[in-house]
Amino acid sequence: MNPHPRSGGPVIEVRHLTKKFGSTTVLRDVDLEIRRGEVVVIIGPSGSGKSTLCRTVIGLEAFDAGEILFDGIEFARSDGHGRFIRGKDYRRRRLEMGMVFQHFTLFPQLTVIQNVMLGPRKVLRVSADEARDRAVRVLDRVGLSDKHNSFPAHISGGQKQRAAIARELAMDRRIIFFDEVTSALDPELVHEVLQAMKALAESGITMVVVTHEMGFARNVADRVIFVDSGSIVEEGKPQQLFDSPRVARTRAFLKKILPG
């Protein structure tokens, strides 16, 4: 279990969220709170809506019903009749949330440090010196202090993913979503990325992690959420959910993926 305290109030509140792709409902009446400094891990079978939930909460996807609050203030809502409405602070709040994707999406023509500097320079409009200071600081934080001048083609997949994490840290995000960030990596590279994420969790940053890495979920999460067929089926502390799941669907899923 995490040694760091979790006492913050909710940063994100999701209420009755429904999302459709055409005639297919991919999220069904989802209610969710994410509290300050909390590490929330989302698990579930492929195609269950985990990634869509993150993309919708962060503002990358519109939705068909429900509302999302950020610090208790409306971030976005739908009127239930196809009208998606952004809150007045939508753009500013959107910048406070970041996402690390399964594929690294680094610019191949830029060095690692240039990739990390780009967001602060172009989006936050900080000076080149400030952007470089930020990049140096966060690259050291994820163990890439010796890769500043390397191009993405010359570093490993695990290093690319850590650079992608550093890029979000350089933007001073209040909450970072991680969407199956180890699933495209060779098995021997998974550990280094998970260790970097564990260090972030211990620093108190708010994290929402979609993953199939059950060891990470058990050892790092404050709360684990099991999603299936677009709905939150069960949630709880890792020990409770993994050792004594209350719902049959959760038990069936864990039986398939956990050893023994």
Side-chain angles (χ1 to χ4, degrees):
M1 297 296 290
N2 276 335
H4 45 294
R6 306 295 190 182
S7 57
V11 179
I12 302 288
E13 296 169 79
V14 177
R15 298 176 178 172
H16 304 296
L17 185 70
T18 295
K19 165 72 179 172
K20 298 180 180 181
F21 289 123
S23 60
T24 302
T25 301
V26 292
L27 296 173
R28 303 171 186 273
D29 197 29
V30 171
D31 289 324
L32 174 65
E33 277 192 5
I34 301 163
R35 294 183 283 275
R36 283 181 195 84
E38 187 178 31
V39 179
V40 176
V41 172
I42 303 176
I43 64 172
S46 297
S48 59
K50 306 183 299 296
S51 296
T52 300
L53 175 58
C54 290
R55 291 176 62 86
T56 303
V57 170
I58 202 174
L60 295 177
E61 301 273 2
F63 49 92
D64 298 281
E67 65 177 337
I68 300 171
L69 306 181
F70 194 115
D71 283 343
I73 299 169
E74 181 178 275
F75 174 66
R77 64 183 171 91
S78 174
D79 64 0
H81 300 287
R83 188 161 174 249
F84 179 70
I85 302 161
R86 294 174 174 85
K88 65 179 181 179
D89 285 337
Y90 181 88
R91 290 189 178 183
R92 181 170 66 88
R93 296 301 194 184
R94 174 65 187 82
L95 287 176
E96 295 184 41
M97 296 184 282
M99 192 161 184
V100 183
F101 297 91
Q102 177 179 358
H103 298 288
F104 325 112
T105 62
L106 298 175
F107 291 103
Q109 74 277 20
L110 301 180
T111 64
V112 167
I113 197 167
Q114 288 170 338
N115 266 283
V116 177
M117 290 174 62
L118 189 62
R121 289 285 286 139
K122 298 294 186 182
V123 180
L124 302 182
R125 305 291 184 184
V126 305
S127 69
D129 287 344
E130 167 64 14
R132 181 169 291 276
D133 286 346
R134 287 188 185 205
V136 168
R137 191 164 58 246
V138 297
L139 286 169
D140 181 63
R141 195 170 169 185
V142 298
L144 292 177
S145 57
D146 60 339
K147 299 296 181 183
H148 290 184
N149 298 316
S150 299
F151 287 92
H154 300 145
I155 61 177
S156 71
Q159 290 167 336
K160 290 175 187 175
Q161 197 59 286
R162 284 186 280 150
I165 294 170
R167 185 172 53 187
E168 295 303 321
L169 291 173
M171 292 291 289
D172 260 347
R173 309 292 196 189
R174 287 183 56 196
I175 177 170
I176 301 179
F177 293 75
F178 298 81
D179 186 15
E180 299 192 15
V181 297
T182 60
S183 60
L185 298 177
D186 293 333
E188 64 269 21
L189 301 177
V190 169
H191 177 73
E192 66 186 63
V193 176
L194 293 179
Q195 284 299 109
M197 292 170 62
K198 183 178 179 181
L200 291 185
E202 290 170 350
S203 76
I205 192 167
T206 307
M207 298 168 59
V208 178
V209 183
V210 174
T211 188
H212 294 290
E213 300 290 339
M214 296 299 128
F216 179 89
R218 182 185 284 274
N219 295 320
V220 180
D222 296 293
R223 186 160 43 109
V224 179
I225 295 173
F226 173 56
V227 175
D228 193 15
S229 300
S231 299
I232 293 178
V233 176
E234 185 170 355
E235 61 180 287
K237 292 187 178 300
Q239 183 176 4
Q240 177 269 308
L241 190 133
F242 284 115
D243 296 342
S244 305
R246 295 184 293 267
V247 181
R249 285 161 70 190
T250 314
R251 290 195 294 270
F253 172 75
L254 293 175
K255 187 175 181 180
K256 287 181 181 179
I257 63 168
L258 293 179

